[in-house]
PDB file of all heavy atoms in Angstrom:
ATOM      1  N   THR D 120       8.754  -3.364   2.550  1.00 98.00           N
ATOM      2  CA  THR D 120       8.330  -2.828   1.303  1.00 98.00           C
ATOM      3  C   THR D 120       7.276  -1.734   1.494  1.00 98.00           C
ATOM      4  O   THR D 120       6.886  -1.460   2.600  1.00 98.00           O
ATOM      5  CB  THR D 120       7.804  -3.960   0.358  1.00 98.00           C
ATOM      6  OG1 THR D 120       7.575  -3.436  -0.882  1.00 98.00           O
ATOM      7  CG2 THR D 120       6.430  -4.554   0.913  1.00 98.00           C
ATOM      8  N   GLU D 121       6.913  -1.027   0.409  1.00 98.00           N
ATOM      9  CA  GLU D 121       5.919   0.100   0.548  1.00 98.00           C
ATOM     10  C   GLU D 121       5.190   0.293  -0.681  1.00 98.00           C
ATOM     11  O   GLU D 121       5.613  -0.187  -1.828  1.00 98.00           O
ATOM     12  CB  GLU D 121       6.611   1.281   0.944  1.00 98.00           C
ATOM     13  CG  GLU D 121       7.594   1.816  -0.016  1.00 98.00           C
ATOM     14  CD  GLU D 121       8.446   3.058   0.489  1.00 98.00           C
ATOM     15  OE1 GLU D 121       8.919   3.060   1.570  1.00 98.00           O
ATOM     16  OE2 GLU D 121       8.496   4.072  -0.331  1.00 98.00           O
ATOM     17  N   VAL D 122       3.995   0.899  -0.558  1.00 98.00           N
ATOM     18  CA  VAL D 122       3.266   1.243  -1.695  1.00 98.00           C
ATOM     19  C   VAL D 122       2.575   2.624  -1.433  1.00 98.00           C
ATOM     20  O   VAL D 122       2.117   2.843  -0.263  1.00 98.00           O
ATOM     21  CB  VAL D 122       2.224   0.178  -2.001  1.00 98.00           C
ATOM     22  CG1 VAL D 122       1.194  -0.088  -0.906  1.00 98.00           C
ATOM     23  CG2 VAL D 122       1.482   0.607  -3.348  1.00 98.00           C
ATOM     24  N   THR D 123       2.564   3.531  -2.419  1.00 98.00           N
ATOM     25  CA  THR D 123       1.908   4.859  -2.221  1.00 98.00           C
ATOM     26  C   THR D 123       0.730   4.800  -3.159  1.00 98.00           C
ATOM     27  O   THR D 123       0.902   4.462  -4.279  1.00 98.00           O
ATOM     28  CB  THR D 123       3.099   5.932  -2.540  1.00 98.00           C
ATOM     29  OG1 THR D 123       4.073   5.885  -1.634  1.00 98.00           O
ATOM     30  CG2 THR D 123       2.302   7.329  -2.430  1.00 98.00           C
ATOM     31  N   PHE D 124      -0.323   5.337  -2.700  1.00 98.00           N
ATOM     32  CA  PHE D 124      -1.511   5.359  -3.390  1.00 98.00           C
ATOM     33  C   PHE D 124      -2.519   6.462  -2.824  1.00 98.00           C
ATOM     34  O   PHE D 124      -2.251   6.985  -1.794  1.00 98.00           O
ATOM     35  CB  PHE D 124      -2.209   4.055  -3.381  1.00 98.00           C
ATOM     36  CG  PHE D 124      -2.752   3.603  -2.013  1.00 98.00           C
ATOM     37  CD1 PHE D 124      -4.017   3.791  -1.596  1.00 98.00           C
ATOM     38  CD2 PHE D 124      -1.777   3.032  -1.155  1.00 98.00           C
ATOM     39  CE1 PHE D 124      -4.416   3.411  -0.329  1.00 98.00           C
ATOM     40  CE2 PHE D 124      -2.202   2.728   0.121  1.00 98.00           C
ATOM     41  CZ  PHE D 124      -3.538   2.881   0.550  1.00 98.00           C
ATOM     42  N   LYS D 125      -3.591   6.662  -3.631  1.00 98.00           N
ATOM     43  CA  LYS D 125      -4.506   7.666  -3.225  1.00 98.00           C
ATOM     44  C   LYS D 125      -5.829   6.863  -2.621  1.00 98.00           C
ATOM     45  O   LYS D 125      -6.241   5.941  -3.252  1.00 98.00           O
ATOM     46  CB  LYS D 125      -5.074   8.542  -4.390  1.00 98.00           C
ATOM     47  CG  LYS D 125      -4.152   9.702  -4.583  1.00 98.00           C
ATOM     48  CD  LYS D 125      -4.827  10.726  -5.518  1.00 98.00           C
ATOM     49  CE  LYS D 125      -4.214  12.118  -5.528  1.00 98.00           C
ATOM     50  NZ  LYS D 125      -3.124  12.121  -6.420  1.00 98.00           N
ATOM     51  N   ALA D 126      -6.275   7.248  -1.507  1.00 98.00           N
ATOM     52  CA  ALA D 126      -7.413   6.557  -0.877  1.00 98.00           C
ATOM     53  C   ALA D 126      -8.588   6.851  -1.939  1.00 98.00           C
ATOM     54  O   ALA D 126      -8.614   7.841  -2.589  1.00 98.00           O
ATOM     55  CB  ALA D 126      -7.780   7.185   0.460  1.00 98.00           C
ATOM     56  N   PRO D 127      -9.545   5.877  -2.040  1.00 98.00           N
ATOM     57  CA  PRO D 127     -10.646   6.106  -2.935  1.00 98.00           C
ATOM     58  C   PRO D 127     -11.394   7.417  -2.626  1.00 98.00           C
ATOM     59  O   PRO D 127     -11.438   7.904  -1.528  1.00 98.00           O
ATOM     60  CB  PRO D 127     -11.553   4.939  -2.654  1.00 98.00           C
ATOM     61  CG  PRO D 127     -10.654   3.875  -2.012  1.00 98.00           C
ATOM     62  CD  PRO D 127      -9.688   4.674  -1.228  1.00 98.00           C
ATOM     63  N   ALA D 128     -11.892   8.029  -3.684  1.00 97.00           N
ATOM     64  CA  ALA D 128     -12.663   9.212  -3.663  1.00 97.00           C
ATOM     65  C   ALA D 128     -14.092   9.058  -2.897  1.00 97.00           C
ATOM     66  O   ALA D 128     -14.646   9.845  -2.184  1.00 97.00           O
ATOM     67  CB  ALA D 128     -12.912   9.921  -4.894  1.00 97.00           C
ATOM     68  N   GLU D 129     -14.530   7.761  -3.036  1.00 97.00           N
ATOM     69  CA  GLU D 129     -15.892   7.538  -2.483  1.00 97.00           C
ATOM     70  C   GLU D 129     -15.766   6.953  -1.105  1.00 97.00           C
ATOM     71  O   GLU D 129     -14.864   6.113  -0.733  1.00 97.00           O
ATOM     72  CB  GLU D 129     -16.516   6.321  -3.322  1.00 97.00           C
ATOM     73  CG  GLU D 129     -17.977   6.462  -3.576  1.00 97.00           C
ATOM     74  CD  GLU D 129     -18.519   5.401  -4.541  1.00 97.00           C
ATOM     75  OE1 GLU D 129     -17.997   5.573  -5.684  1.00 97.00           O
ATOM     76  OE2 GLU D 129     -19.349   4.694  -4.200  1.00 97.00           O
ATOM     77  N   LYS D 130     -16.626   7.593  -0.194  1.00 97.00           N
ATOM     78  CA  LYS D 130     -16.609   7.200   1.204  1.00 97.00           C
ATOM     79  C   LYS D 130     -17.126   5.691   1.351  1.00 97.00           C
ATOM     80  O   LYS D 130     -17.962   5.256   0.641  1.00 97.00           O
ATOM     81  CB  LYS D 130     -17.491   8.117   2.001  1.00 97.00           C
ATOM     82  CG  LYS D 130     -16.988   9.513   2.139  1.00 97.00           C
ATOM     83  CD  LYS D 130     -17.862  10.450   2.828  1.00 97.00           C
ATOM     84  CE  LYS D 130     -17.286  11.885   2.801  1.00 97.00           C
ATOM     85  NZ  LYS D 130     -18.149  12.820   3.420  1.00 97.00           N
ATOM     86  N   GLY D 131     -16.573   4.994   2.341  1.00 97.00           N
ATOM     87  CA  GLY D 131     -16.964   3.732   2.551  1.00 97.00           C
ATOM     88  C   GLY D 131     -15.901   2.845   3.138  1.00 97.00           C
ATOM     89  O   GLY D 131     -14.868   3.423   3.581  1.00 97.00           O
ATOM     90  N   ASP D 132     -16.117   1.580   3.294  1.00 97.00           N
ATOM     91  CA  ASP D 132     -15.137   0.575   3.843  1.00 97.00           C
ATOM     92  C   ASP D 132     -14.509  -0.203   2.757  1.00 97.00           C
ATOM     93  O   ASP D 132     -15.169  -0.781   1.850  1.00 97.00           O
ATOM     94  CB  ASP D 132     -15.921  -0.323   4.872  1.00 97.00           C
ATOM     95  CG  ASP D 132     -16.281   0.355   6.051  1.00 97.00           C
ATOM     96  OD1 ASP D 132     -15.761   1.419   6.403  1.00 97.00           O
ATOM     97  OD2 ASP D 132     -17.113  -0.159   6.807  1.00 97.00           O
ATOM     98  N   TYR D 133     -13.284  -0.283   2.842  1.00 98.00           N
ATOM     99  CA  TYR D 133     -12.520  -1.091   1.849  1.00 98.00           C
ATOM    100  C   TYR D 133     -11.556  -2.157   2.479  1.00 98.00           C
ATOM    101  O   TYR D 133     -10.938  -1.833   3.519  1.00 98.00           O
ATOM    102  CB  TYR D 133     -11.531  -0.197   1.032  1.00 98.00           C
ATOM    103  CG  TYR D 133     -12.327   0.924   0.306  1.00 98.00           C
ATOM    104  CD1 TYR D 133     -12.844   2.096   0.942  1.00 98.00           C
ATOM    105  CD2 TYR D 133     -12.669   0.704  -1.077  1.00 98.00           C
ATOM    106  CE1 TYR D 133     -13.621   3.001   0.264  1.00 98.00           C
ATOM    107  CE2 TYR D 133     -13.372   1.659  -1.726  1.00 98.00           C
ATOM    108  CZ  TYR D 133     -13.906   2.787  -1.116  1.00 98.00           C
ATOM    109  OH  TYR D 133     -14.606   3.708  -1.819  1.00 98.00           O
ATOM    110  N   VAL D 134     -11.698  -3.367   2.024  1.00 98.00           N
ATOM    111  CA  VAL D 134     -10.946  -4.428   2.737  1.00 98.00           C
ATOM    112  C   VAL D 134      -9.449  -4.467   2.242  1.00 98.00           C
ATOM    113  O   VAL D 134      -9.189  -4.314   1.096  1.00 98.00           O
ATOM    114  CB  VAL D 134     -11.584  -5.852   2.381  1.00 98.00           C
ATOM    115  CG1 VAL D 134     -10.680  -7.038   2.838  1.00 98.00           C
ATOM    116  CG2 VAL D 134     -12.963  -5.910   2.865  1.00 98.00           C
ATOM    117  N   PHE D 135      -8.598  -4.637   3.239  1.00 98.00           N
ATOM    118  CA  PHE D 135      -7.214  -5.019   2.870  1.00 98.00           C
ATOM    119  C   PHE D 135      -6.758  -6.294   3.498  1.00 98.00           C
ATOM    120  O   PHE D 135      -7.350  -6.709   4.494  1.00 98.00           O
ATOM    121  CB  PHE D 135      -6.207  -3.803   3.290  1.00 98.00           C
ATOM    122  CG  PHE D 135      -6.027  -3.516   4.713  1.00 98.00           C
ATOM    123  CD1 PHE D 135      -5.282  -4.274   5.504  1.00 98.00           C
ATOM    124  CD2 PHE D 135      -6.741  -2.394   5.183  1.00 98.00           C
ATOM    125  CE1 PHE D 135      -5.173  -3.921   6.908  1.00 98.00           C
ATOM    126  CE2 PHE D 135      -6.611  -2.026   6.558  1.00 98.00           C
ATOM    127  CZ  PHE D 135      -5.778  -2.887   7.397  1.00 98.00           C
ATOM    128  N   LEU D 136      -5.918  -7.046   2.807  1.00 97.00           N
ATOM    129  CA  LEU D 136      -5.582  -8.349   3.251  1.00 97.00           C
ATOM    130  C   LEU D 136      -4.251  -8.726   2.753  1.00 97.00           C
ATOM    131  O   LEU D 136      -3.590  -8.124   1.932  1.00 97.00           O
ATOM    132  CB  LEU D 136      -6.681  -9.290   2.794  1.00 97.00           C
ATOM    133  CG  LEU D 136      -6.695  -9.733   1.278  1.00 97.00           C
ATOM    134  CD1 LEU D 136      -7.645 -10.913   1.079  1.00 97.00           C
ATOM    135  CD2 LEU D 136      -7.188  -8.636   0.389  1.00 97.00           C
ATOM    136  N   CYS D 137      -3.711  -9.837   3.384  1.00 97.00           N
ATOM    137  CA  CYS D 137      -2.582 -10.501   2.856  1.00 97.00           C
ATOM    138  C   CYS D 137      -3.027 -11.701   1.980  1.00 97.00           C
ATOM    139  O   CYS D 137      -3.916 -12.463   2.530  1.00 97.00           O
ATOM    140  CB  CYS D 137      -1.665 -11.114   4.105  1.00 97.00           C
ATOM    141  SG  CYS D 137      -0.409 -12.135   3.564  1.00 97.00           S
TER     142      CYS D 137
END
Side-chain angles (χ1 to χ4, degrees):
T120 187
E121 62 182 49
V122 61
T123 301
F124 62 97
K125 274 196 169 82
E129 212 169 306
K130 290 177 184 178
D132 289 342
Y133 298 81
V134 172
F135 62 80
L136 71 167
C137 170

